Amino acid sequence: MRFGIFASIALSTLVGCGASVRAQGGDGSVVDTGVRFDGSRPDVIAPPFDAPQPVDVPVVPVDVVIPPFDVPIGADVPRPPDVIVPDVMINGDARGEWRLTTFRFNLMGAPAQLTDMNRSLPGDPVGRYRVNGTLDIRDDRLAFAWAVLRNDHALISDPTVDIDEGYSATAFFWNGRLDNMARRFTTGAIGLDFAFETPDILRLSSDREGWVALFRREPRTTYPVTMVTRIDGQGLQISAGTSDPFVRARAALLWDLPSTSVPFESISADLSFGGGGVQATYVLDVPGPAIAAGPIPTGAITIVNGVRVAWAHIVVYDDVDRSGRFNSSMAGGTGPDILRGVSPIGIGVRLDGTPDAMFDQTPFRLLKPGWQYVNVERNSDPRPAVLIPYAMNNPLRPDVPISETAVRRRILDLLP
């Protein structure tokens, strides 16, 4: 298995992310459980990954973590500047919206730091790495979106880690209770501890895993719904050597329609896989604002508890009948097309309207006015999903993992 720097960072961050979660016993004691937010999905195929990575990297076992710097062990490596925190406990209010700005971690004793700005690493001079994440904390809920990006892509890293087939972006949503004084959010027997660098810089950390994540208090931004939009990403076959051949591979936006389970394709493009049939780049040029809602199909907009909303999946499908339109009995239609990949990243849109008291219980509760990339979080409570936005000041590219056969990840129907 080829396992490069990007995979190492993705594994160490995504898998280690749960290390700051603590279980509270009946006696009030707190034990670091090392719970992983692994996003396990019973409806996700996770076949072996034999596709080459974009960068030529050495072959190492999957359970060996390599440092992000190509330096001998024990060599002097500049440490990121330490944040000086007063001895006194800093007070702050965790309620509100936060954006991930800094992630510090250690691999085999070598310190490393990623921020929200692209930078290269000595072990991969052609790659540019950054993080994208948001944290939304309320009295009774917590939502967290997280991504480690290489050249702005949420590339598949290693599907043996059951996080959306090794996807390097994930999210979770908790109903629970915030204790501002104790600096803890609890849900059931699990608690997430936090602290403050300043009243407007929140810190999550794990002494055991050796990482620190800093979040700046910052309202989430969106894109205007009327802007001309270009959505681009990559489709990557998880196991190209054993995958069913495509009749005609296409990437598409599939919009959820109200009052039906059949999605609507607004725009699509053919995919052409490169060497080895592993990777294909797609570009979806969304038309300009021909209607009041911009590039959103009129039929995809509906009122949910007082607010006009819309949302779309980003998919790869096999256009078996070569019609140029998605029509599949797998997704409520009658045609022969086969869904081969659904990105965990979708598009969420909030238009005008005044939310009623129940809007805060809908899958669209976190959307801000405008359009935004969202993680379609399937492990949320209540079901079936909550759309959790990423930061749009440095948006990611919504790549699509492609399964060997028909994908089991269903097209969610969230609009009533």
Side-chain angles (χ1 to χ4, degrees), residues 82-96:
D82 293 326
V83 175
I84 300 175
V85 181
D87 292 334
V88 297
M89 183 174 290
I90 296 176
N91 295 321
D93 187 349
R95 288 169 293 196

Side-chain angles (χ1 to χ4, degrees), residues 27-345:
D27 59 354
S29 61
V30 176
V31 180
D32 192 343
T33 63
V35 175
R36 266 68 169 171
F37 301 120
D38 61 2
S40 301
R41 271 74 163 165
D43 57 345
V44 174
I45 301 173
F49 183 53
D50 58 3
Q53 297 291 318
V55 180
D56 189 16
V57 293
V59 178
V60 299
V62 67
D63 57 351
V64 175
V65 180
I66 61 175
F69 295 100
D70 283 347
V71 295
I73 297 176
D76 291 334
V77 179
R79 298 185 63 89
D82 293 326
V83 175
I84 300 175
V85 181
D87 292 334
V88 297
M89 183 174 290
I90 296 176
N91 295 321
D93 187 349
R95 288 169 293 196
E97 299 171 9
W98 306 80
R99 183 172 64 85
L100 178 63
T101 59
T102 305
F103 186 78
R104 300 174 186 151
F105 56 101
N106 288 281
L107 294 175
M108 294 181 67
Q113 175 172 293
L114 295 177
T115 70
D116 55 347
M117 303 295 292
N118 271 319
R119 57 158 295 188
S120 62
L121 295 176
D124 181 13
V126 300
R128 306 283 288 176
Y129 293 86
R130 64 181 172 89
V131 291
N132 182 309
T134 63
L135 182 63
D136 190 309
I137 303 178
R138 311 289 174 92
D139 286 326
D140 58 352
R141 73 179 190 220
L142 183 147
F144 184 22
W146 173 279
V148 178
L149 307 175
R150 181 180 185 274
N151 298 330
D152 301 331
H153 286 281
L155 290 172
I156 300 168
S157 55
D158 177 19
T160 62
V161 179
D162 192 14
I163 304 176
D164 282 321
E165 300 172 341
Y167 208 76
S168 68
T170 190
F172 64 85
F173 184 93
W174 281 350
N175 283 318
R177 182 177 67 86
L178 171 66
D179 189 334
N180 249 330
M181 294 297 294
R183 293 168 173 79
R184 175 178 298 165
F185 186 93
T186 57
T187 175
I190 299 175
L192 179 66
D193 295 325
F194 54 87
F196 294 96
E197 302 279 320
T198 74
D200 291 323
I201 301 293
L202 183 144
R203 181 179 74 242
L204 298 179
S205 62
S206 169
D207 292 337
R208 189 183 69 180
E209 300 288 346
W211 58 260
V212 175
L214 301 182
F215 297 80
R216 181 182 302 277
R217 188 186 300 277
E218 183 177 298
R220 290 191 303 275
T221 58
T222 61
Y223 286 166
V225 295
T226 56
M227 72 179 293
V228 177
T229 306
R230 166 167 286 196
I231 300 171
D232 66 288
Q234 294 174 337
L236 291 96
Q237 298 208 59
I238 296 171
S239 185
T242 58
S243 291
D244 290 345
F246 278 93
V247 175
R248 183 187 184 188
R250 291 177 66 79
L253 283 183
L254 295 185
W255 293 87
D256 188 6
L257 297 181
S259 304
T260 179
S261 61
V262 181
F264 175 76
E265 176 186 312
S266 65
I267 186 170
S268 59
D270 288 334
L271 289 180
S272 178
F273 290 95
V278 176
Q279 179 177 306
T281 298
Y282 74 84
V283 176
L284 301 177
D285 284 318
V286 180
I291 58 175
I296 309 164
T298 53
I301 303 171
T302 192
I303 298 176
V304 175
N305 295 100
V307 180
R308 291 201 306 155
V309 298
W311 80 285
H313 281 291
I314 301 171
V315 307
V316 168
Y317 70 94
D318 191 2
D319 187 14
V320 177
D321 59 7
R322 297 182 180 273
S323 66
R325 305 293 294 179
F326 180 70
N327 185 9
S328 173
S329 59
M330 298 171 54
T334 59
D337 293 344
I338 300 174
L339 191 67
R340 291 290 295 273
V342 180
S343 176
I345 310 302

